[in-house]
Amino acid sequence: MVVEPTDKGWVPFGGHRTWYRVTGVVGGELPAVVVVHGGPGSTHDYLRNLGSLAEHGWPVVHYDQLGGGGSTHLPDADPGFWTPELFGDELDNLLHRLGIEDNYVLFGQSWGGLVVARHAAGRPDGLRGLVIANSPASYPLWRQEMDVLRAQLPPGVDAALRAHEAAGTTGTQEYFDLMRVFYDRHVCRVLPWPDEYLASFLEMAENGTVYSVMNGPSEFTVTGTLKDYSVIDHLDDIEVPTLLVSGRHDEATPVTVQPYADRIHDVRWEIFEHSSHVPHLEEPERFREVLLGFLREVHACGSASRTAGREVARHG
């Protein structure tokens, strides 16, 4: 059974519009799974296959963050406009506009993992569970680990990349070809790239405003406003069950993910042995199995807690 989208459109946000799509029916017993994509500045496309969760009863909400995809593009915005807080506010607004703030799970991939971690640290009442997929807890750690991974590239590749970066020629075909050596190892190991991944990649290449301001010219060259950003100091405040996901060959190396495992109270970590940064595309069957298992555990525990709470109230 394939569940078709039941609702899509835009919600207003700060004088702009956030595009969204719902697959399945929200408002039932099962919480909505809200998918927060990476980038920043990417689109929901590469995460479309998470919509298959609706086949098992879990409504799924995809959206494009402001500045990309179907949401309002702001190519002339001041660089200071693009902040982590902006995207946290956008997520809050979406939850309230769709009326799902009382019963939801967040799935944050890459940059989206930092967005959802910061949201969860506020301990919202309706958040039932958290999935942080392929996400660093800190961009200083990310930059540190990028140097490690770059040093392991074939001879001459990193030196050529750095020459282009120093010369400001990161928009050339040669830089792109060199960049692909890293991407094919540590971002997506499925070749050719799946259509949904390619769709997000091309969209971001054509509309690179947010990515270039906040990140920089590539995954492994973070020179933008996020270069010193971290959510580590907020992780002790996360109290919902949390699933960490990473790939064995992930650009989000274990060093970058470890703070989540160390500081979130109720956490488990699944490493996908044959994947890099997008295991939902590289090992889709196992990924679906792990994610569904986690969601079912979260719902079972939540249902038991609510039943116990009602019993206490009845006999109190």
Side-chain angles (χ1 to χ4, degrees):
M1 176 182 68
V2 176
V3 179
E4 295 296 326
T6 54
D7 183 30
K8 63 180 179 180
W10 294 268
V11 297
F13 172 59
H16 309 297
R17 300 197 306 179
T18 300
W19 178 92
Y20 74 90
R21 180 179 65 198
V22 179
T23 307
V25 181
V26 299
E29 182 182 0
L30 294 180
V33 179
V34 181
V35 180
V36 184
H37 65 69
S42 186
T43 68
H44 78 286
D45 298 272
Y46 76 102
L47 292 159
R48 283 188 309 224
N49 71 358
L50 296 185
S52 67
L53 294 172
E55 299 170 16
H56 304 272
W58 302 86
V60 179
V61 177
H62 287 92
Y63 74 101
D64 287 333
Q65 293 164 26
L66 192 65
S71 296
T72 304
H73 291 198
L74 296 163
D76 299 321
D78 185 274
F81 176 78
W82 304 108
T83 65
E85 292 74 23
L86 172 74
F87 294 103
D89 291 344
E90 181 182 34
L91 174 59
D92 291 343
N93 180 70
L94 181 76
L95 296 172
H96 288 282
R97 294 281 185 176
L98 296 183
I100 56 177
E101 71 273 18
D102 293 332
N103 192 27
Y104 64 101
V105 171
L106 288 179
F107 180 104
Q109 202 276 336
S110 195
W111 148 253
L114 289 93
V115 176
V116 302
R118 188 68 185 85
H119 176 93
R123 300 179 182 176
D125 290 339
L127 181 62
R128 305 297 177 221
L130 189 64
V131 182
I132 298 174
N134 318 98
S135 176
S138 149
Y139 278 94
L141 285 178
W142 177 273
R143 290 189 287 116
Q144 167 192 311
E145 289 297 287
M146 289 304 103
D147 285 339
V148 173
L149 296 178
R150 290 177 68 148
Q152 297 170 359
L153 294 174
V157 172
D158 189 38
L161 285 166
R162 292 183 188 277
H164 278 285
E165 290 157 9
T169 53
T170 55
T172 63
Q173 183 64 43
E174 183 179 359
Y175 185 82
F176 176 80
D177 293 341
L178 291 163
M179 184 181 73
R180 276 293 301 262
V181 178
F182 181 96
Y183 278 50
D184 291 348
R185 285 185 173 205
H186 300 299
V187 183
C188 182
R189 294 169 72 88
V190 178
L191 299 175
W193 283 349
D195 289 345
E196 54 265 55
Y197 177 77
L198 192 58
S200 286
F201 184 89
L202 292 176
E203 173 74 19
M204 193 160 58
E206 293 173 5
N207 174 34
T209 300
V210 183
Y211 189 77
S212 61
V213 169
M214 297 186 73
N215 189 86
S218 70
E219 293 291 277
F220 48 81
T221 311
V222 181
T223 55
T225 57
L226 286 178
K227 65 181 186 299
D228 296 317
Y229 183 67
S230 171
V231 296
I232 291 175
D233 289 343
H234 301 284
L235 300 181
D236 291 330
D237 295 323
I238 297 175
E239 294 189 335
V240 294
T242 301
L243 171 66
L244 293 180
V245 171
S246 63
R248 180 62 66 190
H249 309 282
D250 206 328
E251 59 179 346
T253 67
V255 170
T256 72
V257 178
Q258 191 66 49
Y260 294 117
D262 290 341
R263 300 186 67 163
I264 296 176
H265 304 300
D266 182 0
V267 64
R268 56 183 269 202
W269 187 354
E270 290 282 344
I271 297 177
F272 288 75
E273 294 295 333
H274 306 291
S275 294
S276 56
H277 199 53
V278 286
H280 64 283
L281 297 176
E282 295 163 300
E283 297 180 64
E285 293 81 11
R286 179 169 176 249
F287 187 88
R288 189 178 303 110
E289 177 185 343
V290 168
L291 184 54
L292 277 170
F294 173 74
L295 291 173
R296 287 165 178 155
E297 290 172 12
V298 165
H299 180 60
C301 290
S303 296
S305 296
R306 288 189 288 275
T307 299
R310 286 193 293 268
E311 289 297 316
V312 169
R314 183 180 304 140
H315 299 292

